[in-house]
């Protein structure tokens, strides 16, 4: 029973990893891996010495930290609030509406966000002008100062509801007698959340936090490509993944792009190991 699953993982997850050899070669399309010259760490040095390196790293780390600090607690808060709703019909409606955006592609979401923020009868600009908060429409997707907020906010809106399902399932598994005993002792709803709900779902929170830290250099790809179509946003939107795409696919610098991608993967593995080690000291870890 396990063999097909292991074969699937080997073929589609491990076998393509031989492609990292490209990072140590001057890869030639017609020469392939066997006839392309080996150049050691030449492309890594070129990436680290590139004038784009620090800008790409800054954007990657800042966007990732914003997503981690704001996007990670959002589904936990939503799950806690939904758990307190006693009217089941209202709870189901809110839950359904909140996780539906997860099933929309970034192309649709990007079009929706672009329409809302448009200077031509966009709902956000119309609201701001009706409230006299601005006298003329603002081109939000052309102002670098707004991009990080729009990107992070859109990502939270798209994924918060779906991620909350896991926490709602963890909350549903808590023994209701604990809440009854706490209620008899005089604990209010806030105290019950603080003393029962959060400690009981802490292992789930820690596991997802470890995975989030391991993916801290995955600042985004599709969302950035869709939302940052204006070249004026390049300085604040260019992250490692979009840089690899631009260098590798658009500029045909395959080895250079592979080196940048391999650097990101190695750092991510190191961060995952550190996060797991810290979590182990708190009593929960992946391994």
């Amino acid at each position: 029973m396990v063999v097909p699953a292991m074969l699937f993982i080997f073929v589609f997850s491990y076998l393509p990893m031989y492609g990292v050899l490209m990072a140590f070669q001057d890869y030639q399309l017609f020469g392939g891996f066997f006839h392309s010259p080996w150049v050691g760490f030449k492309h890594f040095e070129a990436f680290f010495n590139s004038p784009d390196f620090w800008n790409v790293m800054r954007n990657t780390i800042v966007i990732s930290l914003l997503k981690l600090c704001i996007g990670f607690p959002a589904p936990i808060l939503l799950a806690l609030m939904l758990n307190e709703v006693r009217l089941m019909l209202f709870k189901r409606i809110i839950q359904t509406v909140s996780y539906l955006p997860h099933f929309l592609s970034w192309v649709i979401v990007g079009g929706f966000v672009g329409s809302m923020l448009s200077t031509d009868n966009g709902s956000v600009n119309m609201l701001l002008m009706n409230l006299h908060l601005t006298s003329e429409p603002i081109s939000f997707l052309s102002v670098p100062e707004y991009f990080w907020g729009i990107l992070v906010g859109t990502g939270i809106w798209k994924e918060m509801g779906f991620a909350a399902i896991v926490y709602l399932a963890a909350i549903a598994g808590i023994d209701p007698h604990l809440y009854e005993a706490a209620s008899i002792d005089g604990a209010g709803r806030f105290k019950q959340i603080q003393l029962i709900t959060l400690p009981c779902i802490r292992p789930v929170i820690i596991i997802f936090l470890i995975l989030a830290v391991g993916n801290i250099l995955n600042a985004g790809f599709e969302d950035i490509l869709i939302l940052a179509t204006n070249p004026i946003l390049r300085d604040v939107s260019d992250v490692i993944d979009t840089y690899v795409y631009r260098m590798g696919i658009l500029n045909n610098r395959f080895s250079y792009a592979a080196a940048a991608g391999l650097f990101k993967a190695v750092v991510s593995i190191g961060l995952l190991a550190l996060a797991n080690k810290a979590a182990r000291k708190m009593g929960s870890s992946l391994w």
Side-chain angles (χ1 to χ4, degrees):
M1 294 290 289
V2 180
V3 173
M6 293 181 66
L7 189 61
F8 180 86
I9 293 174
F10 175 75
V11 171
F12 292 101
S13 298
Y14 284 92
L15 200 58
M17 289 177 67
Y18 75 92
V20 299
L21 294 176
M22 191 185 298
F24 304 96
Q25 294 178 318
D26 271 338
Y27 182 75
Q28 297 171 357
L29 191 60
F30 296 103
F33 291 104
F34 298 103
H35 300 287
S36 298
W38 294 90
V39 294
F41 292 93
K42 169 188 168 183
H43 297 293
F44 291 93
E45 294 174 1
F47 175 58
F48 296 145
N49 294 325
S50 167
D52 297 324
F53 176 76
W54 289 111
N55 187 54
V56 168
M57 288 302 298
R58 183 203 64 170
N59 294 338
T60 302
I61 292 172
V62 170
I63 292 174
S64 297
L65 287 178
L66 287 174
K67 287 183 175 180
L68 181 66
C69 296
I70 303 173
F72 183 78
I76 301 173
L77 292 174
L78 178 63
L80 293 175
M81 289 190 292
L82 285 174
N83 187 56
E84 296 303 313
V85 176
R86 293 293 172 259
L87 187 59
M88 290 306 296
L89 178 61
F90 178 72
K91 181 178 179 179
R92 290 179 189 278
I93 291 174
I94 295 297
Q95 193 173 350
T96 303
V97 170
S98 64
Y99 74 65
L100 277 180
H102 170 78
F103 299 100
L104 300 177
S105 72
W106 269 109
V107 176
I108 297 174
V109 172
F112 178 69
V113 172
S115 176
M116 287 186 64
L117 300 179
S118 171
T119 56
D120 186 16
N121 294 326
S123 55
V124 174
N125 272 311
M126 290 178 68
L127 177 64
L128 292 176
M129 293 177 70
N130 288 332
L131 293 175
H132 302 290
L133 295 176
T134 178
S135 58
E136 57 185 17
I138 301 173
S139 181
F140 288 98
L141 289 176
S142 300
V143 181
E145 287 78 7
Y146 296 148
F147 179 73
W148 288 345
I150 294 171
L151 179 71
V152 174
T154 305
I156 291 174
W157 169 74
K158 187 175 184 300
E159 300 296 341
M160 178 174 64
F162 192 77
I165 293 175
V166 177
Y167 298 109
L168 281 170
I171 292 172
I174 298 174
D175 187 351
H177 293 98
L178 294 175
Y179 291 108
E180 293 174 6
S183 180
I184 293 172
D185 289 340
R189 297 303 303 177
F190 183 75
K191 273 291 182 184
Q192 291 177 25
I193 293 173
Q194 184 181 1
L195 299 177
I196 298 175
T197 308
L198 286 176
C200 286
I201 65 172
R202 191 182 70 166
V204 178
I205 295 175
I206 290 176
I207 288 173
F208 276 90
L209 183 60
I210 294 171
L211 296 174
V213 171
N215 285 319
I216 201 164
L217 291 186
N218 291 321
F221 180 69
E222 290 180 337
D223 49 350
I224 294 176
L225 282 183
I226 296 294
L227 294 175
T229 53
N230 194 327
I232 200 172
L233 298 176
R234 175 69 60 79
D235 286 342
V236 294
S237 66
D238 206 14
V239 298
I240 292 180
D241 286 331
T242 56
Y243 185 72
V244 168
Y245 167 74
R246 198 171 72 253
M247 290 293 116
I249 303 300
L250 301 183
N251 295 345
N252 296 326
R253 298 178 64 184
F254 303 117
S255 296
Y256 182 83
L262 183 58
F263 164 75
K264 190 197 81 168
V266 171
V267 174
S268 295
I269 292 172
L271 289 173
L272 180 63
L274 288 175
N276 188 70
K277 186 176 180 179
R280 191 183 302 151
K281 292 182 179 178
M282 293 187 288
S284 299
S285 63
L286 287 177
W287 66 84

